[in-house]
Each structure stands twice: as C-alpha cells, then as structure tokens.
Amino acid sequence: MTDAQETAADVSLRTTGGGPPDDGGSSAAEAPIPLLEPREGIPPVIADEASLAEVIAAFAAGSGPVAVDAERASGYRYGQRAYLVQLRRAGAGTALIDPVACPDLSGLGEALSGVEWVLHAATQDLPCLREIGMVPSRLFDTELAGRIAGFPRVGLGAMVEGVLGYVLEKGHSAVDWSTRPLPEPWLRYAALDVELLVDLRDALEKELDRQGKLEWALQEFDAIASAPPAEPRKDPWRRTSGMHKVRRRRQLAVVRELWEARDRIAQRRDVSPGKVLSDAAIVEAALSLPVNVHALAALNGFGHRMGRRQLEQWQAAVDRARALAETQLPQPGQPLTGPPPPRAWADKDPAAAARLSAARAAVSALAKSLNMPQENLITPDTVRRVCWEPPSVVSAESVSAALAGHGARAWQVEQVTPVLVAALSA
C-alpha cells in the first residue's frame, strides 16, 4: 500500500464535510458519498458594492485559512479573466462574487492579507485573481501537495474522493462562465468546489507531515506566492498548433500575419481566438500561400460559410506576408536561451550527453524512491542546464550553488545534489 493509499484508508482523515452530522467519518470500505448541496445552501451571487462590503467584513472576521477558486471562460472569451470567484472561510461561510459587476476586489484581497489561501492548482487561478486585485501572501496548493505526497491522481474530484470520501459533481468545469445570469446548477457546482477545500488542505498537511515532506511543500507554496507575474510570451504566434509542418520563412510570415490579425479581431469582439479562425486554417493557408480570395476559399477552414468580407481580411494578411522583403521574414525556430535540444547533444558534446543520461537516470530513481513526479523533484530544464555547463570543479558545494542559481528550492538542492554529483563525476 502506498503512502497515498494509506491516507485514503485513514478514517481520521476522512471528514464528514457536508455529510450527515452523525456520520462520524466513512471507512475505506464504504462507497464515497455524493456531495450534492453546499452546507448552507447556494449563496446569492455578489454583484454590487454594498453586498461586497458585507462579504469583505464577514471574511475579515472569519478564522483560519480561506478556500479560493475562480471560474474562467476559456474557449469562449478572449483572455483568461475571472467570471466568478468563490471563497469559503470558517465563520464566514461561502461567497460567490461576480467580478464583472465587481471588477475591483482589492479590498477583499487586503482583508485577507496574511491569511493562508487554499487553492487547487494555484498557478492556473492566480493570474486572473491578480487582475482583480487579489494576491495572496501565503497559500496552500492542494494539487501540488497531492503531487509531492505521491497521489497518482491529483484532480480536485479525485483528491476529495480519495482523501475525504466525497464525490463532487462533475460536468460544469468547461461551460461558458461569462453567461449571465449563471444557472443555479452551475452556481451549486461552483460553491461545492470550495466546500471541502480547507478539509482537504488539513488532511494533506497531516499526510505530508507523516511522510516528512511538509517543509518541502511549504517551500514550494512560498515560491508560488512570491513569484512575480509571468512575462508576456515572446512571439506567441509560434505556439500555433501544427507549426511543425511550417518550414519556410515566407510561410512562417503568413502564420504570424494571420495569427496577429485573428488576435486583434478576437480581442475586439471578446471571443476566443479559436472561434474567429482555427489554428488548422492558419497553417493550411501558410502552407498553400493562396494568391487570391478564390484560392483561399478553397482551403479547409475558409469554407462556404465564411463571408466575402471575412475572406478578404484573411487574404489581406496573407498578402502582407507575401509582400515582405527577405530581411523582414521571421527566422525558423526561436532563439535558444539555454542548452540545445537534448537530441543534438550527442553530436555537439558527447560528454555532456553522457552526463545528462546519467543524471536523468539518477533523478528518476530518486523521484521514484521519494514517491513523487520527477518534475516536482527538480525541473528537467534545471538538470539540462547543470549537465550542459557543469561546475569546473564538481563538488557538493559547487553543484548546490549551481542548482540554487537556476531557482531550485533548498529542499530540492538538498535531495538532488548527491545524485547529481555522482552523475557529473561519472
């Protein structure tokens, strides 16, 4: 039985949550209990400043950690803004806030300053929360905690079921959360997402402590909370699906022009770029280099349902790319800021390739012994960088310094240094 399985089987870790008050916890042999309704029912959606002020006061007066979640409209709207924010805290209950009607939640963020925020997959929600003024100073990420503890499935539903013995409703995660008014079943789903999040946090803290990994997790949470906002991607058009088919520079220019035209239209209309023009259509046009609207209309993705005016705007983008001078065409690939792709190491530096092979095997074995994913033990990029340019003198001190210089946390440095020293020395 794995550590994670022991957690799921531990009756003391399976709280009654929203179940019957006399339940007393469920045994591992019992079927998980469907969680159908929030404890206090579905709260009203907060959509005005007066109601928001009441919520801020209630949550400021609450106690313990606060569960936080956000719903976006990915695939429907432009960008990753939040369309619903859910919170739950002891003494305050659950709140559902409409950030469209209340776009400035900095007052709520300030009221919760210093309080530990509990999120599941925090890095997904923090950018949209930051946009509305909510930035935690401390957090606990239940998904990351599950990874470090060695759970095989770390989705919120799987974690709640495996650890707490409750089944969360499924089916509304990918709906259009920009819909107004939000249907009651969606609001129920949203409220239940934070219903047991603090219970899950408490159980995972106990499990991490039992495994001797709690300090590791806390360092990871601190790193997430203190990380600056991500820099805008350089040349985001290069992430177009199917780009591997596009080889010639003129074709790359077509992708760039179409992508940028699509992005402007999507932003203006506030819709997902994929609803304006598909990535597959962009790549098709780049490979074909159509000379006029008639040729463009014959391509997949530009079919008969597309109006003349739309076709003309896409053809104009293609024509702009066709008219560029050679010096203005984008270069294939992106400039490398680190080591070359590992597949090229054997030719470029056989010794480095041997170091990387030994290091990968050693890190993989260590991750397996610690019962956690390899990428959570140490990022593959960090291993590559250290192997490509190792310290001139390989020692525990020099390797530790190199790892720390690439952003590894103290616990990672402590665990990984011995195996990397051996791999680099070999």
Side-chain angles (χ1 to χ4, degrees), residues 63-395:
S63 61
V66 57
V68 182
D69 191 21
E71 305 295 346
R72 299 178 298 279
S74 304
Y76 298 94
R77 296 289 183 173
Y78 185 85
Q80 294 294 317
R81 68 175 295 185
Y83 284 94
L84 187 70
V85 176
Q86 309 101 280
L87 304 98
R88 183 174 180 83
R89 191 181 190 195
T94 297
L96 303 178
I97 303 175
D98 180 357
V100 178
C102 301
D104 181 6
L105 298 186
S106 57
L108 178 59
E110 290 167 7
L112 296 172
S113 177
V115 176
E116 181 186 83
W117 296 21
V118 184
L119 300 102
H120 193 80
T123 54
Q124 294 182 19
D125 287 339
L126 288 178
C128 71
L129 291 171
R130 184 185 296 271
E131 287 181 0
I132 53 179
M134 296 185 65
V135 183
S137 55
R138 298 168 51 214
L139 64 83
F140 190 107
D141 186 333
T142 50
E143 190 224 31
L144 183 52
R147 290 180 181 277
I148 295 172
F151 283 80
R153 297 165 60 224
V154 294
L156 180 59
M159 295 289 287
V160 167
E161 182 175 341
V163 178
L164 303 178
Y166 286 90
V167 179
L168 290 176
E169 182 184 358
K170 301 174 183 177
H172 298 307
S173 61
V175 299
D176 181 2
W177 287 95
S178 68
T179 301
R180 292 296 183 272
L182 286 164
E184 183 176 292
W186 299 11
L187 295 175
R188 181 182 297 107
Y189 165 90
L192 290 174
D193 261 4
V194 292
E195 181 80 5
L196 295 178
L197 207 49
V198 173
D199 300 67
L200 180 61
R201 171 242 180 269
D202 292 344
L204 290 173
E205 180 182 57
K206 185 181 294 186
E207 173 63 11
L208 287 165
D209 189 43
R210 187 183 73 80
Q211 293 186 26
K213 297 176 179 177
L214 180 56
E215 177 56 32
W216 302 359
L218 294 178
Q219 288 182 31
E220 292 299 299
F221 303 156
D222 286 344
I224 294 173
S226 60
E231 294 288 332
R233 290 188 183 277
K234 181 178 173 59
D235 293 345
W237 58 270
R238 292 185 184 271
R239 296 176 61 83
T240 304
S241 298
M243 277 290 290
H244 63 281
K245 303 175 187 175
V246 182
R247 304 295 177 87
R248 290 157 48 194
R249 293 176 63 196
R250 185 74 59 186
Q251 295 172 332
L252 291 172
V254 172
V255 172
R256 181 177 65 187
E257 292 293 336
L258 284 171
W259 189 98
E260 291 177 349
R262 179 184 70 174
D263 195 66
R264 288 191 296 270
I265 295 167
Q267 188 169 13
R268 185 176 71 246
R269 290 169 48 189
D270 189 20
V271 297
S272 169
K275 290 188 174 298
V276 176
L277 187 68
S278 70
D279 281 9
I282 289 177
V283 170
E284 184 84 6
L287 296 176
S288 300
L289 291 172
V291 295
N292 54 40
V293 169
H294 180 73
L296 181 68
L299 301 178
N300 290 332
F302 297 92
H304 62 278
R305 283 187 285 183
M306 189 172 286
R308 177 81 183 187
R309 185 176 175 184
Q310 288 178 293
L311 287 170
E312 287 175 348
Q313 73 184 2
W314 301 130
Q315 185 60 45
V318 175
D319 291 343
R320 286 195 297 273
R322 293 174 64 92
L324 290 174
E326 287 290 327
T327 55
Q328 297 174 297
L329 298 177
Q331 295 293 334
Q334 299 186 62
L336 288 174
T337 57
R343 63 180 179 273
W345 285 32
D347 293 330
K348 290 179 177 292
D349 189 337
R355 288 193 296 267
L356 181 61
S357 178
R360 281 174 162 174
V363 170
S364 177
L366 177 59
K368 186 175 182 180
S369 71
L370 294 173
N371 191 28
M372 71 167 63
Q374 186 174 327
E375 63 271 19
N376 293 115
L377 172 61
I378 192 75
T379 67
D381 181 67
T382 297
V383 175
R384 286 194 295 269
R385 288 174 184 270
V386 173
C387 289
W388 184 252
E389 293 184 349
S392 55
V393 177
V394 175
S395 66

